Amino acid sequence: MKIQFSRNISLCLFFLLGFLAIGGCKKSSTPVVSVIIPTVNTTSVILNLTATTAQSGGIIISTGNGTITGNGVVYSSTNKTPTLSDSKTTDSVSHAGTGYTTFTSSITGLSPGTTYYIRAYAVNSAGVGYGGITSFTTSATLGSVIATVTTYAGGTAQGFMDGSAAGALFNNPEGVTVDKQGNLFVSDSFNDLIREVSNTGTVSTIAGNQTLGYQDGPAASAEFYAPNGQAFDSKGNLYVADFGNNIIRKITPAGVVSTFAGTGIAGYRNGAATSANLTSSADSLSMFNNPQGVCVDASDNVYVADRGNNVIREILTTGRTKTIAGNKVKGFIDATDEAAFFNNPTGVAVDSKGNVYVTDQGNSSLRMVSSAGVVTTLVGNPVQTTLLNYPSAITIDALGNLYIVDESGRIFEFTTAKVLYLLAGKLNTAGFTNGVGSVALFNNPQGICIDANNNIYVADQFNNCIRKITITTTTNGSQPPN
């Protein structure tokens, strides 16, 4: 009996130990995921700054394997490293798992004429993650920036007609620029024409004959293929990015059209701008691939957003073309010269110091190429596409403030103080409405320019017209019009 009893106990212990061993193996095969502090980036610019309000935000790069239970921005006028103990916004964006989440924080109750330090934050069960610190100074008097949109020339009807600005017809206008006298020039892309809207309100055709093609010579017989960005030099010559022909055209004040750079064949090559600049039998003409934006500096060097090649080019006054940033491969990397990466750059503007600003459309960002060739990102990125959403063109005023148009239907000002103002339009809301601010609607706006009186003109492509924006500001305490 005792032997049998002992045997039964031994068997029970054997099976129990086996069960524990199996259970232990199963338990150890399940990895333990630890929660760490989330990773957050602070939005690099301040939006819509007034004397008492501002907008900022951030990007939650990583949730730290946990659930985000709170996020926003912290800010202080006295603590240069603000924390949750200081003033904060609570944006209540809950996000679990992987992937980026962007958020915008509206800040109110600020003091006029005061410097604030700000950074984004996100909270999970492991703690608080903070982004980098940035600062801004509220205006002493500025209440609101008011942008009023009207129709300057054309209407929603597609066609071709010269005459009064109100009765003129355009067909998908894409590029605009203005001369010293306040006359506006338009790349009427689908009509393959260059048009002028005089400062007295009369529309005329100055180059092209409505025939898609490639022909130099007198303006009336010249041919273009979907002309786009435009810019004047100091002598009154007009440069046009002839998008479909892969060349840069030049129109003299006398009305003669010539090829300024490129061969008419899509490609990527630096070298002589024209055959007159060839220096030897081994020398080659420069080549472009769907150039879209152009600008000219004070020395009459021409800069090109070579969209199809993902590079920024410079055509020197010596007649040579060179690449100043980018390397043909699509990407998003800040670096120097050809180590930088762009993704379909569309517009360029140059300031008095030789810095070139680029609307990098595929990356939904504003980039800068310094005079030393260093590329930095000023606004936006491929993730935070609500900040800039496929920007298509850029221009600059006499003070160095930038004006940007994006294809989602918005017009922005980026000031020298690195504040981004939404002037007009609404994100991803196409339409044709005049009015103030977000009441105004555009439909795939493309080109933008500004005159000496700070009036802004926009080529509203799918509305087949040119819009005009006038800007006023209210003082602190006053209210903008409805």
Side-chain angles (χ1 to χ4, degrees), residues 206-441:
I206 67 163
N209 57 21
Q210 277 193 284
T211 300
L212 183 157
Y214 176 22
Q215 179 66 46
D216 287 335
S221 59
E223 296 176 356
F224 299 83
Y225 184 1
N228 207 294
Q230 303 181 350
F232 278 100
D233 69 10
S234 62
K235 300 178 181 64
N237 298 300
L238 179 62
Y239 299 90
V240 179
D242 197 350
F243 185 87
N245 280 322
N246 304 296
I247 55 177
I248 308 302
R249 310 293 284 278
K250 176 181 175 180
I251 307 174
T252 69
V256 178
V257 178
S258 61
T259 298
F260 183 66
T263 65
I265 300 173
Y268 176 63
R269 188 170 63 202
N270 289 317
T274 67
S275 56
N277 304 124
L278 292 172
T279 57
S280 69
S281 58
D283 199 3
S284 298
L285 293 173
S286 57
M287 298 178 72
F288 299 83
N289 188 356
N290 290 149
Q292 184 161 337
V294 293
C295 67
V296 183
D297 68 14
S299 300
D300 287 341
N301 299 297
V302 178
Y303 298 87
V304 181
D306 194 0
R307 176 174 180 157
N309 283 323
N310 301 298
V311 297
I312 309 304
R313 316 284 288 278
E314 179 182 3
I315 308 171
L316 302 167
T317 55
T318 58
R320 311 298 296 180
T321 298
K322 67 176 185 177
T323 298
I324 64 169
N327 58 40
K328 250 191 102 176
V329 180
K330 289 183 179 181
F332 183 63
I333 295 177
D334 285 343
T336 301
D337 301 328
E338 295 187 32
F341 287 73
F342 295 85
N343 187 353
N344 290 336
T346 53
V348 283
V350 61
D351 67 15
S352 59
K353 298 177 181 178
N355 301 305
V356 179
Y357 301 89
V358 181
T359 46
D360 192 6
Q361 186 169 79
N363 286 318
S364 290
S365 64
L366 170 65
R367 317 281 293 278
M368 183 183 82
V369 185
S370 75
S371 56
V374 179
V375 178
T376 54
T377 299
L378 301 177
V379 182
N381 53 66
V383 176
Q384 200 173 11
T385 57
T386 56
L387 200 57
L388 289 178
N389 190 250
Y390 296 103
S392 51
I394 186 172
T395 193
I396 190 168
D397 67 15
L399 299 176
N401 301 300
L402 301 170
Y403 300 84
I404 306 162
V405 58
D406 76 12
E407 288 188 350
S408 76
R410 298 176 299 175
I411 315 301
F412 295 93
E413 178 185 3
F414 184 65
T415 70
T416 54
K418 296 186 178 180
V419 177
L420 184 69
Y421 289 99
L422 173 58
L423 298 178
K426 189 178 296 184
L427 177 66
N428 294 328
T429 305
F432 180 60
T433 304
N434 290 320
V436 174
S438 61
V439 171
L441 296 179

Side-chain angles (χ1 to χ4, degrees), residues 12 57 107 114 142 188 240 293 341 350 385 447 478:
C12 287
I107 307 166
T114 304
L142 180 62
D188 193 3
V240 179
F341 287 73
V350 61
T385 57
S478 64

